[in-house]
Amino acid sequence: MNYEKIAKCPVCGKTEFRNKLVVEDRTVSHESFAVVECAACGFQFTNPRPGPDDIGRYYESDAYVSHNSGAAGLINQVYRLARVFTMRSKVRLLNRYAPQRGRVLDYGCGTGHFLAAARGAGWQVAGLEPNATARAEATQRVGQPIGAPEDLATLETGSFDAITLWHVLEHVHALNETLAQLVRLLRPGGVLLIAVPNAASFDAQHYGARWAAYDVPRHLYHFVPATMARLLKKHRLALRATLPMPLDAYYVSLLSEPAGGGAARLLRALRLGFASNRAAARHEGQYSSLLYVAGRAAAGS
């Protein structure tokens, strides 16, 4: 196993880090990984981490529902039920913030449910997905070929009105290189919609190292609003809106609760999810997950 040790902060480039947490991979390997925080800008990331050639085995689980639409179990049943509502919401947000109902690229499209929903709403769609099984299912669901992330550099400059990353950016090894490519693909007025977990949320503070959205080592980065804003500015992107994803608090809380317990576990998660959303509504919008809407910054800004 080859592990990458990050020597420079991916956001600010500084080299001094402090240890924040040690988190167990509760999904696949049960190995432990360190989450560190940049002493200069506060950006949090998993360090060291498996390299691109080794990370694949940490996704090898039938329970990993974004790669397997048929995954079994209570949690995945809840996920599929919520997906009915979230897909509609995502398409509404896309229609609201994109300059026109034209072309959308879903980067890390999983099994293609969002692309199918967007196409049904009149969008021309394209998707890229690293997992071969999920890519094959997405190709079948969408009815057109779905590419791999390596195809990103071959796409035409300025060819998309919108690019979406639904809980994907935290998985991307080449963070800055990928963002630069995505910005290149935007048409004038085009938007990036980036949904990620929020490590400053109430549920993150409550569960600590058990917070499921740390999801090490699959999640390489652990964003909060300040560090996301700084990353976007680095890539000459202007933040247009920061929006809550309130259903995520319930799902993440359910994943964070100890296994077993049946109805009691579900009830605890519902209570905690409600408390997290209530705290976010009262205090600076620190929801469990946030959607950042960004576009190219004006020249000189």
Side-chain angles (χ1 to χ4, degrees), residues 5 24 30 46 51 61 77 94 104 127 137 140 155 167-168 175-176 192 199 201 207 219 247 250 276 290 292:
K5 189 165 186 178
E24 180 188 348
H30 298 284
T46 304
S61 169
Q77 289 174 6
L94 176 64
V104 59
E137 185 173 339
Q140 184 175 19
L155 299 177
H167 288 286
V168 167
L175 178 64
N176 287 295
L192 278 172
S201 64
Y207 287 110
H219 287 189
L247 281 179
Y250 299 101
S276 183
L290 293 167
Y292 299 92

mmCIF file of all heavy atoms in Angstrom, residues 5 24 30 46 51 61 77 94 104 127 137 140 155 167-168 175-176 192 199 201 207 219 247 250 276 290 292:
data_model
loop_
_atom_site.group_PDB
_atom_site.id
_atom_site.type_symbol
_atom_site.label_atom_id
_atom_site.label_comp_id
_atom_site.label_asym_id
_atom_site.label_seq_id
_atom_site.Cartn_x
_atom_site.Cartn_y
_atom_site.Cartn_z
ATOM 1 N N LYS A 5 1.858 11.516 1.473
ATOM 2 C CA LYS A 5 1.898 12.486 2.556
ATOM 3 C C LYS A 5 1.957 13.878 1.949
ATOM 4 O O LYS A 5 2.865 14.197 1.174
ATOM 5 C CB LYS A 5 3.104 12.250 3.469
ATOM 6 C CG LYS A 5 3.040 13.105 4.733
ATOM 7 C CD LYS A 5 4.015 12.633 5.782
ATOM 8 C CE LYS A 5 3.822 13.424 7.072
ATOM 9 N NZ LYS A 5 4.736 12.972 8.148
ATOM 10 N N GLU A 24 -11.584 6.507 12.206
ATOM 11 C CA GLU A 24 -11.603 5.135 11.699
ATOM 12 C C GLU A 24 -12.456 5.039 10.441
ATOM 13 O O GLU A 24 -13.530 5.648 10.355
ATOM 14 C CB GLU A 24 -12.185 4.188 12.760
ATOM 15 C CG GLU A 24 -12.238 2.732 12.308
ATOM 16 C CD GLU A 24 -12.987 1.840 13.278
ATOM 17 O OE1 GLU A 24 -13.283 2.279 14.405
ATOM 18 O OE2 GLU A 24 -13.294 0.687 12.893
ATOM 19 N N HIS A 30 -11.570 -0.481 8.336
ATOM 20 C CA HIS A 30 -11.397 -0.296 9.778
ATOM 21 C C HIS A 30 -9.986 0.167 10.143
ATOM 22 O O HIS A 30 -9.575 0.073 11.301
ATOM 23 C CB HIS A 30 -11.786 -1.560 10.556
ATOM 24 C CG HIS A 30 -13.229 -1.921 10.358
ATOM 25 N ND1 HIS A 30 -14.262 -1.246 10.978
ATOM 26 C CD2 HIS A 30 -13.816 -2.854 9.557
ATOM 27 C CE1 HIS A 30 -15.420 -1.759 10.605
ATOM 28 N NE2 HIS A 30 -15.185 -2.730 9.733
ATOM 29 N N THR A 46 -7.227 14.830 4.983
ATOM 30 C CA THR A 46 -6.719 13.536 5.415
ATOM 31 C C THR A 46 -5.264 13.427 4.991
ATOM 32 O O THR A 46 -4.942 13.567 3.813
ATOM 33 C CB THR A 46 -7.556 12.405 4.788
ATOM 34 O OG1 THR A 46 -8.932 12.607 5.125
ATOM 35 C CG2 THR A 46 -7.104 11.051 5.278
ATOM 36 N N GLY A 51 -2.815 6.718 -2.211
ATOM 37 C CA GLY A 51 -2.640 7.374 -3.498
ATOM 38 C C GLY A 51 -3.721 6.980 -4.491
ATOM 39 O O GLY A 51 -4.525 6.064 -4.240
ATOM 40 N N SER A 61 -17.228 -1.968 -1.469
ATOM 41 C CA SER A 61 -18.226 -2.375 -0.491
ATOM 42 C C SER A 61 -19.588 -2.367 -1.154
ATOM 43 O O SER A 61 -19.943 -1.399 -1.838
ATOM 44 C CB SER A 61 -18.223 -1.427 0.712
ATOM 45 O OG SER A 61 -19.344 -1.669 1.539
ATOM 46 N N GLN A 77 -31.891 2.007 2.146
ATOM 47 C CA GLN A 77 -33.301 2.227 1.832
ATOM 48 C C GLN A 77 -33.680 3.680 2.099
ATOM 49 O O GLN A 77 -34.404 4.307 1.316
ATOM 50 C CB GLN A 77 -34.173 1.276 2.659
ATOM 51 C CG GLN A 77 -34.070 -0.176 2.231
ATOM 52 C CD GLN A 77 -34.824 -1.102 3.173
ATOM 53 O OE1 GLN A 77 -35.516 -0.656 4.079
ATOM 54 N NE2 GLN A 77 -34.693 -2.404 2.955
ATOM 55 N N LEU A 94 -30.347 23.729 -10.257
ATOM 56 C CA LEU A 94 -29.649 23.868 -11.541
ATOM 57 C C LEU A 94 -30.384 24.863 -12.433
ATOM 58 O O LEU A 94 -29.766 25.776 -13.010
ATOM 59 C CB LEU A 94 -29.558 22.498 -12.211
ATOM 60 C CG LEU A 94 -28.948 22.445 -13.613
ATOM 61 C CD1 LEU A 94 -27.497 22.877 -13.594
ATOM 62 C CD2 LEU A 94 -29.085 21.028 -14.186
ATOM 63 N N VAL A 104 -25.041 20.492 -19.280
ATOM 64 C CA VAL A 104 -24.556 20.301 -17.917
ATOM 65 C C VAL A 104 -23.643 19.087 -17.877
ATOM 66 O O VAL A 104 -23.934 18.049 -18.480
ATOM 67 C CB VAL A 104 -25.714 20.156 -16.908
ATOM 68 C CG1 VAL A 104 -26.623 18.974 -17.241
ATOM 69 C CG2 VAL A 104 -25.165 20.037 -15.479
ATOM 70 N N GLY A 127 -21.566 13.130 -18.406
ATOM 71 C CA GLY A 127 -21.113 12.700 -17.092
ATOM 72 C C GLY A 127 -19.760 12.037 -17.153
ATOM 73 O O GLY A 127 -19.392 11.436 -18.161
ATOM 74 N N GLU A 137 -23.649 1.412 -15.147
ATOM 75 C CA GLU A 137 -25.047 1.593 -14.793
ATOM 76 C C GLU A 137 -25.545 2.970 -15.240
ATOM 77 O O GLU A 137 -26.673 3.106 -15.734
ATOM 78 C CB GLU A 137 -25.241 1.431 -13.286
ATOM 79 C CG GLU A 137 -26.698 1.494 -12.874
ATOM 80 C CD GLU A 137 -26.930 1.165 -11.414
ATOM 81 O OE1 GLU A 137 -26.070 0.517 -10.792
ATOM 82 O OE2 GLU A 137 -27.998 1.571 -10.886
ATOM 83 N N GLN A 140 -26.255 3.036 -18.950
ATOM 84 C CA GLN A 140 -27.537 2.400 -19.252
ATOM 85 C C GLN A 140 -28.705 3.304 -18.848
ATOM 86 O O GLN A 140 -29.682 3.448 -19.589
ATOM 87 C CB GLN A 140 -27.634 1.057 -18.532
ATOM 88 C CG GLN A 140 -28.894 0.264 -18.857
ATOM 89 C CD GLN A 140 -28.888 -1.107 -18.204
ATOM 90 O OE1 GLN A 140 -28.155 -1.357 -17.259
ATOM 91 N NE2 GLN A 140 -29.702 -2.005 -18.725
ATOM 92 N N LEU A 155 -12.332 17.480 -23.124
ATOM 93 C CA LEU A 155 -13.578 18.194 -23.384
ATOM 94 C C LEU A 155 -13.296 19.613 -23.858
ATOM 95 O O LEU A 155 -12.306 20.234 -23.465
ATOM 96 C CB LEU A 155 -14.450 18.208 -22.126
ATOM 97 C CG LEU A 155 -14.888 16.821 -21.608
ATOM 98 C CD1 LEU A 155 -15.684 16.959 -20.328
ATOM 99 C CD2 LEU A 155 -15.701 16.083 -22.668
ATOM 100 N N HIS A 167 -21.271 16.054 -3.792
ATOM 101 C CA HIS A 167 -20.465 15.281 -2.844
ATOM 102 C C HIS A 167 -19.368 14.506 -3.582
ATOM 103 O O HIS A 167 -19.209 13.298 -3.404
ATOM 104 C CB HIS A 167 -21.351 14.355 -2.017
ATOM 105 C CG HIS A 167 -22.171 15.100 -1.007
ATOM 106 N ND1 HIS A 167 -21.630 15.625 0.139
ATOM 107 C CD2 HIS A 167 -23.474 15.447 -0.995
ATOM 108 C CE1 HIS A 167 -22.588 16.243 0.830
ATOM 109 N NE2 HIS A 167 -23.706 16.166 0.148
ATOM 110 N N VAL A 168 -18.619 15.239 -4.369
ATOM 111 C CA VAL A 168 -17.548 14.648 -5.184
ATOM 112 C C VAL A 168 -16.199 15.317 -4.925
ATOM 113 O O VAL A 168 -15.171 14.643 -4.851
ATOM 114 C CB VAL A 168 -17.905 14.743 -6.689
ATOM 115 C CG1 VAL A 168 -16.703 14.435 -7.574
ATOM 116 C CG2 VAL A 168 -19.058 13.803 -7.008
ATOM 117 N N LEU A 175 -6.906 18.053 -6.580
ATOM 118 C CA LEU A 175 -7.921 19.061 -6.278
ATOM 119 C C LEU A 175 -7.783 20.295 -7.153
ATOM 120 O O LEU A 175 -8.730 20.692 -7.854
ATOM 121 C CB LEU A 175 -7.826 19.436 -4.799
ATOM 122 C CG LEU A 175 -8.797 20.514 -4.309
ATOM 123 C CD1 LEU A 175 -10.234 20.037 -4.414
ATOM 124 C CD2 LEU A 175 -8.453 20.912 -2.871
ATOM 125 N N ASN A 176 -6.635 20.921 -7.136
ATOM 126 C CA ASN A 176 -6.468 22.178 -7.871
ATOM 127 C C ASN A 176 -6.442 21.974 -9.377
ATOM 128 O O ASN A 176 -7.028 22.768 -10.130
ATOM 129 C CB ASN A 176 -5.195 22.885 -7.395
ATOM 130 C CG ASN A 176 -5.367 23.482 -6.012
ATOM 131 O OD1 ASN A 176 -6.161 24.392 -5.801
ATOM 132 N ND2 ASN A 176 -4.621 22.956 -5.043
ATOM 133 N N LEU A 192 -20.622 26.662 -11.442
ATOM 134 C CA LEU A 192 -20.258 25.433 -10.758
ATOM 135 C C LEU A 192 -21.167 25.278 -9.547
ATOM 136 O O LEU A 192 -21.345 26.227 -8.776
ATOM 137 C CB LEU A 192 -18.813 25.490 -10.271
ATOM 138 C CG LEU A 192 -17.682 25.163 -11.245
ATOM 139 C CD1 LEU A 192 -16.347 25.473 -10.585
ATOM 140 C CD2 LEU A 192 -17.729 23.694 -11.648
ATOM 141 N N ALA A 199 -17.655 20.516 7.878
ATOM 142 C CA ALA A 199 -17.028 20.056 9.114
ATOM 143 C C ALA A 199 -17.221 21.026 10.276
ATOM 144 O O ALA A 199 -16.793 20.724 11.395
ATOM 145 C CB ALA A 199 -15.537 19.813 8.882
ATOM 146 N N SER A 201 -20.360 21.978 11.098
ATOM 147 C CA SER A 201 -21.777 21.841 11.430
ATOM 148 C C SER A 201 -21.961 21.332 12.859
ATOM 149 O O SER A 201 -21.047 20.789 13.491
ATOM 150 C CB SER A 201 -22.450 20.875 10.454
ATOM 151 O OG SER A 201 -21.907 19.571 10.587
ATOM 152 N N TYR A 207 -20.678 14.563 16.908
ATOM 153 C CA TYR A 207 -20.168 13.202 16.747
ATOM 154 C C TYR A 207 -18.647 13.138 16.783
ATOM 155 O O TYR A 207 -18.084 12.061 17.012
ATOM 156 C CB TYR A 207 -20.685 12.601 15.438
ATOM 157 C CG TYR A 207 -22.145 12.235 15.482
ATOM 158 C CD1 TYR A 207 -23.086 12.957 14.753
ATOM 159 C CD2 TYR A 207 -22.596 11.168 16.246
ATOM 160 C CE1 TYR A 207 -24.438 12.620 14.783
ATOM 161 C CE2 TYR A 207 -23.938 10.824 16.295
ATOM 162 C CZ TYR A 207 -24.849 11.554 15.560
ATOM 163 O OH TYR A 207 -26.184 11.219 15.602
ATOM 164 N N HIS A 219 -12.894 10.421 1.751
ATOM 165 C CA HIS A 219 -12.930 11.888 1.772
ATOM 166 C C HIS A 219 -11.527 12.398 2.090
ATOM 167 O O HIS A 219 -11.016 12.192 3.194
ATOM 168 C CB HIS A 219 -13.938 12.393 2.807
ATOM 169 C CG HIS A 219 -15.355 12.191 2.398
ATOM 170 N ND1 HIS A 219 -16.415 12.731 3.096
ATOM 171 C CD2 HIS A 219 -15.899 11.497 1.367
ATOM 172 C CE1 HIS A 219 -17.548 12.391 2.505
ATOM 173 N NE2 HIS A 219 -17.257 11.635 1.451
ATOM 174 N N LEU A 247 -31.596 17.782 4.297
ATOM 175 C CA LEU A 247 -31.819 16.340 4.459
ATOM 176 C C LEU A 247 -30.543 15.602 4.854
ATOM 177 O O LEU A 247 -30.597 14.552 5.500
ATOM 178 C CB LEU A 247 -32.381 15.742 3.169
ATOM 179 C CG LEU A 247 -33.861 15.947 2.887
ATOM 180 C CD1 LEU A 247 -34.246 15.307 1.562
ATOM 181 C CD2 LEU A 247 -34.723 15.384 4.013
ATOM 182 N N TYR A 250 -29.901 14.477 8.573
ATOM 183 C CA TYR A 250 -30.550 13.258 9.059
ATOM 184 C C TYR A 250 -29.806 12.016 8.597
ATOM 185 O O TYR A 250 -29.588 11.072 9.368
ATOM 186 C CB TYR A 250 -32.003 13.222 8.584
ATOM 187 C CG TYR A 250 -32.822 14.384 9.089
ATOM 188 C CD1 TYR A 250 -33.098 15.480 8.269
ATOM 189 C CD2 TYR A 250 -33.310 14.402 10.389
ATOM 190 C CE1 TYR A 250 -33.840 16.557 8.733
ATOM 191 C CE2 TYR A 250 -34.058 15.470 10.864
ATOM 192 C CZ TYR A 250 -34.315 16.544 10.033
ATOM 193 O OH TYR A 250 -35.035 17.607 10.496
ATOM 194 N N SER A 276 -29.435 19.720 14.483
ATOM 195 C CA SER A 276 -28.384 20.304 13.645
ATOM 196 C C SER A 276 -28.944 21.365 12.707
ATOM 197 O O SER A 276 -28.391 22.461 12.572
ATOM 198 C CB SER A 276 -27.682 19.204 12.843
ATOM 199 O OG SER A 276 -26.617 19.730 12.082
ATOM 200 N N LEU A 290 -23.407 21.735 2.570
ATOM 201 C CA LEU A 290 -23.673 23.020 1.931
ATOM 202 C C LEU A 290 -23.444 22.908 0.431
ATOM 203 O O LEU A 290 -22.562 22.166 -0.024
ATOM 204 C CB LEU A 290 -22.780 24.116 2.505
ATOM 205 C CG LEU A 290 -23.052 24.495 3.967
ATOM 206 C CD1 LEU A 290 -21.920 25.342 4.525
ATOM 207 C CD2 LEU A 290 -24.387 25.213 4.104
ATOM 208 N N TYR A 292 -22.374 25.148 -2.699
ATOM 209 C CA TYR A 292 -21.724 26.406 -3.090
ATOM 210 C C TYR A 292 -21.955 26.619 -4.584
ATOM 211 O O TYR A 292 -21.639 25.734 -5.402
ATOM 212 C CB TYR A 292 -20.227 26.349 -2.800
ATOM 213 C CG TYR A 292 -19.907 26.141 -1.337
ATOM 214 C CD1 TYR A 292 -19.733 24.864 -0.811
ATOM 215 C CD2 TYR A 292 -19.766 27.233 -0.469
ATOM 216 C CE1 TYR A 292 -19.436 24.664 0.530
ATOM 217 C CE2 TYR A 292 -19.464 27.042 0.876
ATOM 218 C CZ TYR A 292 -19.303 25.752 1.360
ATOM 219 O OH TYR A 292 -19.017 25.556 2.693
#
